[in-house]
Amino acid sequence: MPSMLLFIIIAIVFLGSVLMLVRAGKLKERHAGLWLFVGLVCIVLAIFPQSLNFAARLVGIEVPANLLFALTLLLVLGVCLHLSLEITTLEDRIRRLAEEVSLASVERPDPTPTDQPSVTRPSASTEQPGVTDQPGQLVDPTPMATDPDGTPGMKPAPHQDPSATPAP
Amino acid sequence: MDDPLAISQRTNAPKTLIIMPAWNEEEVIASTLAELKSHHLRYDIAVVDDGSLDSTVELARQAGAIVIPLPFNLGVGGAMRCGYEYARRHGYDRAIQVDADGQHDPQDIDLVLAGLDQADISIGARFAQKGAYTVHGPRRWAMVVLAWVLSRLSHVRLTDVTSGFRAANRTAIEQYCRYYPVEYLGDTIDSLVMAVRSGLTVTQVPVEMRARQGGAPSNNPFKAMVYLVRSLFSLAIALTQRATSVRRSS
């Protein structure tokens, strides 16, 4: 039975490489479970090919190989769908992270109105274009700093004066 | 963030944020921002940079806008969601989306914002008698169908539900932060369907659309067809989803 031997070897190599990947930390154990199961089924089928015939007769498929193909296709489809789901989750998490990162980089130079108004006002009004080159550091126009007085008409509103900013 | 909230309660004027999603808009953003500034000195402008590779960010900073720099391109939906999140965290009472390409007339901003007196969401509609904005073919059919369905849903006659020129009050900002799909057209249709189904009210204000100052509108019939199919699919999905409950901040 050389063909049986061949398939047993293939299944063992497959199982072994899955285990190695898990050991190396390249494959999460959560995802490895499915592949370990597939490898085990392969070994069982390689050792007891009759079991396939039995299963085919059980569900009414004439050619046992067709059952194997159908099951394989279903498995692959299922895995693809699962991966799409995972990607969607990851995309959403990445988007949330991107959102947080961008909001944090806006808020960092943002002073809380009551804390240190004396520090923030001058830095906002004497905005230097040269400082803006660093990607992380923003010359935030401090939207909150304009409000603390509660006097909308009297606000200095340094960032809202179009003529003030472009002049170096 | 309860500080800004307290502030806005002390002052009478509602704290308003103009959210402007921008992706590689260096040709137009400076002039658009300059025009906005000349009209609306009281409003904060937040440019959500959607991963631009050109000088959009620098130009927006120089123009004195708040810049929210997304690390990579998320699409209009993602940018707007981020903008609304900023508005929510900083306690803005109202937020209005304005395009960076100068299509939306700054003079109409107060008109659209005024719509918030009657509803939670106010849409600047392009077909409502004003202006000469016309669309043909599949794109037009899609807009008609979408408008019809949303009018039925919201019990208000809406003619242009895909307009990006829209304002939101506190309740709507809250709703958008909870549910604002970032997928294709989610920023216009899906979010609106969800908002309406969550009990928010919508109104529309006729506005005039100006020609874009940069970039070309797509007239490709194939793209228009894709737009039709995808927008209807997006609408169908939104209609079958479970509505997220939003508490009314009355």
Side-chain angles (χ1 to χ4, degrees), chain B residues 58-137:
Chain B
E58 284 70 31
L59 290 170
R61 267 183 209 146
Q62 278 164 28
I66 302 160
V67 177
I68 306 174
L70 287 171
F72 43 80
N73 185 265
L74 285 180
V76 183
M80 281 314 297
R81 219 197 97 105
C82 192
Y84 284 120
E85 188 66 38
Y86 182 87
R88 188 179 70 83
R89 292 188 190 181
H90 290 260
Y92 283 94
D93 300 306
R94 310 183 294 179
I96 180 165
Q97 175 183 354
V98 176
D99 277 4
D101 60 11
Q103 263 195 102
H104 301 151
D105 194 331
Q107 283 184 318
D108 290 332
I109 286 179
D110 275 327
L111 275 178
V112 178
L113 283 172
L116 293 179
D117 294 341
Q118 314 151 28
D120 297 313
I121 296 168
S122 171
I123 303 172
R126 295 164 285 189
F127 301 116
Q129 291 106 38
K130 214 175 161 188
Y133 182 86
T134 51
V135 173
H136 303 285

Side-chain angles (χ1 to χ4, degrees), chain B residues 199-214:
Chain B
L200 272 70
T201 51
V202 186
T203 188
Q204 79 171 15
V205 177
V207 295
E208 203 164 330
M209 286 292 147
R210 302 183 300 181
R212 300 183 188 206
Q213 293 180 6

